[in-house]
Amino acid sequence: MERNLKNVLVISFGFLLLFTAYGGLQSLQSSLHSEEGLGVASLSVVYAALILSSMFLPPILIKKLGCKWTIAGSMCCYIVFSLGNFYASWYTLIPTSVILGLGGAPLWSAKCTYLTIAGNSYAEKAGKNGKDIINQYFGVFFLIFQSSGIWGNLISSLIFSQASNKVEISEENLASCGAYDCLTDTTNTTGLAEPSNSLIYTLLGIYTASGVLAVLLIVVFLDQIKPDQAETEKETLETPSFCSTFLATFQHLKDKRQCLLIPLTMTSGFEQGFLSGDYTKTYVTCALGIHYVGYVMICFSSVNSLCSLLFGKISQFTGRKLLFALAAVTNTACIIALLLWKPHPKQLAVFFVFPALWGLSDAIWQTQTNGLYGILFEKHKEAAFANYRLWESFGFVIAFGYSTKLQVYIKLYILLSVLVLSMVMYGAVEYLEAKSSPGTPTATKKENVGPLTKETDM
């Protein structure tokens, strides 16, 4: 097996194991730890700490430890969070949420940096287009990674199934489901009976073991990777000060392309936050019961995984512009339909159509936006991907922040507005790239590492 592909698979399966655990725990926080809003508070703390982490930790850790050991160390932060759930309280869950958030940005930045360097390295040796290889690597990664949503939900559903308590939902309660919900607790009138401690500990044990296996996989099988020799020599001669590294993420905002990509990056957080926080509650749980949430999210994850691989492969033929347009149109159609639809148990198939289409769109947002960052900011990968995690996290924080304060139809209008703004700003980025690329000798010379010619600017 080609060495770079082997490393891509190692990272992908490591993230699969890690996020099978974390994804399952994240979706259960509000249910397992509902007292005084502890579960929701822990998620808010995770993303707040992730924002803080994005500001300074990724460049420091990646330069000092390298991508491999940054990934391994950051994964340990997720294991700590799993352990904190064994005895959940404000004194255990909040500190471990902070630790997880601090490890999140270095983990994702190191992963993105690793895949980008590996893609460019292989493209240079094989004489292929660098951005095509990068897109393929991200496609393979997200194919495997997104399936973690399947396994995480399946594990929790199987373990908690014996405690399930299906309740008939009245027409009165159904009337409050959907976009024009009344911000009442009617959506919580159905659901699982309180699981026993033995079931909870069994689930947490499985999740913790999955995280440990992820770390071992990375430590044993992932090769250390370094940037090109010129960058390596430069790093050995000058070690950036803490202050300069702290500001690296914000200094990267001097690049107008990064500023223009902020709405697009935040869109990822908004749309994922809506599906997991609002669609599952005010549509699925309200009309079908909480026992259907896992199946709906499995549908989302399955489509997401398959489309991630598909779009990673076909992007070299279709170009990223067409794919971004497809995602925008699909999300817009779903938002409009969700505004008009009144969910009812008799329309069971429809409950799965929306997450399927949402999974298709999210696959494009994830693979193409990650690939776009790697291509546009090839010389400043660490700071660029730190910005990616920073602004995506802001999207999550805002989405979770107003989740209990606004009716669903208002959230849908907000999501639609952000989506339109992100597409306008993204169009400006493509215009700037097209304007700066034609006819320059350097563009032809570096065609394999970035969107520097019209022919490869997709």
Side-chain angles (χ1 to χ4, degrees):
M1 181 185 295
E2 194 270 320
R3 181 178 177 181
N4 283 328
L5 180 57
K6 184 268 291 185
N7 288 324
V8 171
L9 292 176
V10 170
I11 289 180
S12 300
F13 281 103
F15 272 66
L16 170 64
L17 289 169
L18 185 71
F19 282 87
T20 291
Y22 174 67
L25 275 177
Q26 183 183 39
S27 63
L28 292 171
Q29 284 302 299
S30 59
S31 299
L32 289 179
H33 314 307
S34 58
E35 300 82 3
E36 300 180 357
L38 174 59
V40 176
S42 69
L43 293 179
S44 300
V45 169
V46 166
Y47 285 103
L50 185 60
I51 292 173
L52 180 64
S53 172
S54 300
M55 294 179 183
F56 64 93
L57 278 183
I60 293 177
L61 293 181
I62 292 173
K63 289 182 182 297
K64 294 293 185 181
L65 304 178
C67 290
K68 172 181 177 176
W69 295 108
T70 299
I71 292 173
S74 299
M75 283 182 167
C76 293
C77 297
Y78 284 71
I79 298 175
V80 171
F81 179 74
S82 296
L83 295 174
N85 278 266
F86 276 94
Y87 184 72
S89 69
W90 290 96
Y91 301 102
T92 59
L93 207 53
I94 298 303
T96 55
S97 296
V98 172
I99 293 173
L100 187 155
L102 292 177
L107 175 69
W108 285 93
S109 295
K111 180 271 299 181
C112 292
T113 301
Y114 194 107
L115 294 185
T116 300
I117 294 174
N120 283 326
S121 174
Y122 176 75
E124 184 177 354
K125 294 177 183 177
K128 297 183 178 181
N129 192 318
K131 70 178 188 176
D132 289 341
I133 302 300
I134 291 172
N135 281 334
Q136 289 178 23
Y137 281 1
F138 276 111
V140 171
F141 170 81
F142 280 107
L143 165 71
I144 298 172
F145 165 74
Q146 295 292 4
S147 69
S148 64
I150 300 174
W151 311 121
N153 282 298
L154 185 59
I155 290 172
S156 62
S157 296
L158 290 175
I159 291 179
F160 288 157
S161 61
Q162 57 186 297
S164 64
N165 181 24
K166 300 180 181 180
V167 179
E168 189 70 24
I169 305 173
S170 68
E171 290 294 331
E172 181 182 357
N173 283 342
L174 286 173
S176 65
C177 300
Y180 298 91
D181 64 314
C182 301
L183 290 177
T184 64
D185 292 330
T186 55
T187 55
N188 295 324
T189 58
T190 62
L192 292 174
E194 184 70 21
S196 65
N197 285 336
S198 62
L199 290 177
I200 294 175
Y201 293 150
T202 299
L203 180 64
L204 293 176
I206 293 173
Y207 283 164
T208 303
S210 182
V212 172
L213 287 176
V215 174
L216 292 177
L217 183 65
I218 296 297
V219 170
V220 175
F221 294 105
L222 185 66
D223 298 324
Q224 180 68 284
I225 194 170
K226 295 183 179 296
D228 58 67
Q229 186 62 32
E231 290 182 1
T232 304
E233 291 176 355
K234 182 178 180 181
E235 289 172 9
T236 59
L237 293 175
E238 61 175 273
T239 301
S241 65
F242 176 84
C243 183
S244 63
T245 306
F246 179 86
L247 295 175
T249 301
F250 293 106
Q251 289 172 343
H252 192 256
L253 291 172
K254 293 179 180 179
D255 190 325
K256 66 174 65 176
R257 298 172 302 174
Q258 175 63 75
C259 294
L260 291 171
L261 287 176
I262 288 176
L264 178 64
T265 311
M266 292 181 67
T267 297
S268 178
F270 272 100
E271 55 98 11
Q272 291 182 71
F274 176 83
L275 183 73
S276 61
D278 294 304
Y279 179 76
T280 55
K281 177 183 178 183
T282 56
Y283 289 88
V284 181
T285 302
C286 183
L288 298 178
I290 199 171
H291 51 284
Y292 268 97
V293 170
Y295 299 119
V296 166
M297 295 307 293
I298 287 174
C299 177
F300 166 79
S301 299
S302 301
V303 174
N304 202 322
S305 296
L306 293 175
C307 289
S308 293
L309 178 63
L310 173 64
F311 295 136
K313 288 286 188 181
I314 69 172
S315 62
Q316 57 185 305
F317 305 110
T318 63
R320 63 175 178 249
K321 300 173 190 174
L322 181 61
L323 292 179
F324 275 126
L326 174 62
V329 169
T330 303
N331 265 149
T332 300
C334 287
I335 291 171
I336 294 173
L338 287 171
L339 284 167
L340 300 174
W341 181 46
K342 291 298 294 182
H344 195 280
K346 294 180 179 180
Q347 304 166 328
L348 183 61
V350 181
F351 288 90
F352 292 87
V353 170
F354 284 110
L357 293 175
W358 217 266
L360 181 150
S361 299
D362 186 67
I364 296 176
W365 299 131
Q366 295 292 333
T367 59
Q368 298 306 306
T369 305
N370 272 279
L372 181 62
Y373 268 74
I375 292 165
L376 293 182
F377 312 115
E378 195 270 335
K379 293 184 178 180
H380 305 283
K381 293 179 289 291
E382 294 91 344
F385 286 122
N387 266 277
Y388 177 86
R389 296 306 300 172
L390 170 64
W391 297 112
E392 185 184 45
S393 298
F394 263 120
F396 275 111
V397 168
I398 294 172
F400 284 133
Y402 64 50
S403 180
T404 59
K405 308 298 181 182
L406 302 175
Q407 287 183 269
V408 174
Y409 80 93
I410 299 177
K411 301 173 195 174
L412 286 169
Y413 281 126
I414 292 174
L415 181 57
L416 181 60
S417 301
V418 173
L419 179 60
V420 172
L421 177 63
S422 68
M423 287 296 97
V424 172
M425 296 297 193
Y426 165 69
V429 171
E430 292 290 4
Y431 173 77
L432 291 174
E433 285 299 292
K435 185 178 179 181
S436 64
S437 61
T440 59
T442 55
T444 303
K445 183 177 180 181
K446 295 185 179 181
E447 181 175 325
N448 68 323
V449 296
L452 300 173
T453 66
K454 271 192 172 182
E455 290 77 10
T456 61
D457 184 15
M458 301 184 293

